[in-house]
Amino acid sequence: MALDTVQDYVTRSRTLLQDKIEPYRYGDDDLVAALNEGIMEGRRIRPDLFQAYLGEDLPEYSVAAMTTEVDIDPQYRTAFVYYMCGNAQLQDDENSEDARASMFLQKFTAQLRTIDA
Amino acid sequence: MSRVNDFNMIMNGARVKLPGALDAQIKAEIFMVVDEFMKETEIWTETIDVPVNASDFCYDVVPTLGLPNALHEVKTSTGQGVAAAMEIPGTVGLQRQPAVADTYKVKVALTVAYPLTGDDLPQFPDWILAQYYPVFLDGVLARMMATLGKPYSSEKGALFHGQKFRAGKSQAMVNSQRKNLSGGQTWRFPKFA
C-alpha cells in the first residue's frame, strides 16, 4: 500500500517540495522530524487516530530506520505528507513559501477534521 | 438462507455512513452500544444451576458467556421461589439460609464481558445480533456522530439515530416480554387468580 514506511513519506514529500535532486534543501532528518511533529499534532486533533497509544508514548521515527512502517490509518496518510511539506517550508522566509507552507498545514488540519478537504 | 451472524452489516454500515471513521473506534462504540442495550433491555438471560448448602448465604453466579447484570429469579430444584438479591453483580445473596443442600436455579440477565474476542468485538448470542443489528447500528451512528471535530460529526444525525436506537431498545423489551409472539395477547389474567 502507498505511504507504508518512513521512506515513503519522505519520498512523497520531496515530490511535493520539488526537492528530489541531491544535495537536498530539506534533509531527511528535517522531514522525519516533521513527520514526528505531525504525529503529535494529529494526536491533538484526532486522538482516535492514535487509540493504540492513548496513555502511552506516541511512535517516534528516525532516519536510522527509514524502512519502519508508520502506524497511521490509510485514510489519513496523505494528510501527514502535507504536514511534512508545510513544516519543511516554514523554514524558509520567502513570502511565497510562507503562503505555500500555510496552505499545506491548513490542508493537514482540514483533512483530519472534515471530508470536503 | 442464513441470518446475519457477524458484525459486517454493522461495520460496513458504519463505514459508509461515517466517512473517515476508524475501524477501531467503531468497534469500541459497538461494545458500548451492545453493553447499554443488554443492560437496559435485559433480553439476554441465562438460568444457572447453583449448588447451595445450609451454611452459606452468598453464592457466585458464573454464566456461560458474558457477565451477570441483574437478578430475575431464584428457584429451588422443585420450582419454589426463593427470596434473594444481587447487591454485587455476580454474587447472589439469599434472604434465608437453605434448610438443606440443594441446587438452585438462578436466572440472571447478562451483558457483554471484556476482554473481547481477537477481533475486538463483543461476544453474545447470535440470535440477538441477527434480530437487532439495525438497532446496534443506530446506536453506533448516534454515538459516533455526537463526537466533536470529526468528519462524521453531525448533531442532527446523532439525534435522529439516537431516537431510533432508543425506540429499538423499547421494542426489544416488548418483544422479550411477549416472547416474540406476533399479535399475541398483551394482557394476561393475574397469577393469583
Side-chain angles (χ1 to χ4, degrees), chain B residues 90-103:
Chain B
T91 303
V92 170
L94 304 177
Q95 198 172 65
R96 297 186 188 81
Q97 284 175 321
V100 294
D102 195 3
T103 298

Side-chain angles (χ1 to χ4, degrees), chain B residues 88-133:
Chain B
I88 298 172
T91 303
V92 170
L94 304 177
Q95 198 172 65
R96 297 186 188 81
Q97 284 175 321
V100 294
D102 195 3
T103 298
Y104 282 4
K105 297 207 178 289
V106 178
K107 185 177 181 183
V108 289
L110 303 172
T111 186
V112 288
Y114 200 92
L116 311 173
T117 60
D119 55 5
D120 290 335
L121 291 165
Q123 282 186 303
F124 53 94
D126 290 343
W127 70 267
I128 297 178
L129 179 61
Q131 190 87 350
Y132 297 109
Y133 70 89

Side-chain angles (χ1 to χ4, degrees), chain A residues 46 48-49 51 73 75-76 112-113 115, chain B residues 19-22 24-25 149-152:
Chain A
R46 289 290 303 274
D48 54 320
L49 274 178
Q51 269 194 77
D73 190 276
Q75 296 178 88
Y76 296 99
L112 292 188
R113 292 175 60 92
I115 285 298
Chain B
L22 303 178
Q25 189 62 29
K150 303 291 188 296
Y152 44 82

Side-chain angles (χ1 to χ4, degrees), chain B residues 28 45 52 54 80 140 157 192:
Chain B
T45 61
V52 299
Q80 206 168 8
V140 170
F192 63 82

Side-chain angles (χ1 to χ4, degrees), chain A residues 3-109:
Chain A
L3 297 174
D4 276 336
T5 65
V6 177
Q7 185 63 60
D8 292 340
Y9 281 83
V10 170
T11 303
R12 185 67 190 136
S13 299
R14 291 199 180 287
T15 301
L16 292 176
L17 290 167
Q18 292 294 293
D19 186 29
K20 298 170 76 172
I21 299 174
E22 293 187 62
Y24 299 125
R25 175 165 181 74
Y26 309 104
D28 280 359
D29 52 348
D30 289 332
L31 292 176
V32 173
L35 174 61
N36 289 330
E37 287 175 25
I39 286 172
M40 288 191 283
E41 274 294 291
R43 166 64 180 87
R44 178 181 68 84
I45 298 170
R46 289 290 303 274
D48 54 320
L49 274 178
F50 300 99
Q51 269 194 77
Y53 302 95
L54 292 179
E56 296 178 6
D57 291 341
L58 288 170
E60 192 167 346
Y61 302 100
S62 162
V63 290
M66 298 289 275
T67 57
T68 306
E69 287 197 359
V70 180
D71 189 11
I72 295 174
D73 190 276
Q75 296 178 88
Y76 296 99
R77 291 179 181 179
T78 53
F80 288 85
V81 173
Y82 293 135
Y83 185 90
M84 291 167 70
C85 296
N87 189 287
Q89 293 202 301
L90 280 177
Q91 298 176 31
D92 295 317
D93 58 3
E94 296 171 11
N95 290 341
S96 59
E97 300 300 334
D98 283 347
R100 201 168 144 79
S102 177
M103 183 271 293
F104 276 128
L105 293 174
Q106 284 173 6
K107 194 151 175 69
F108 164 73
T109 305

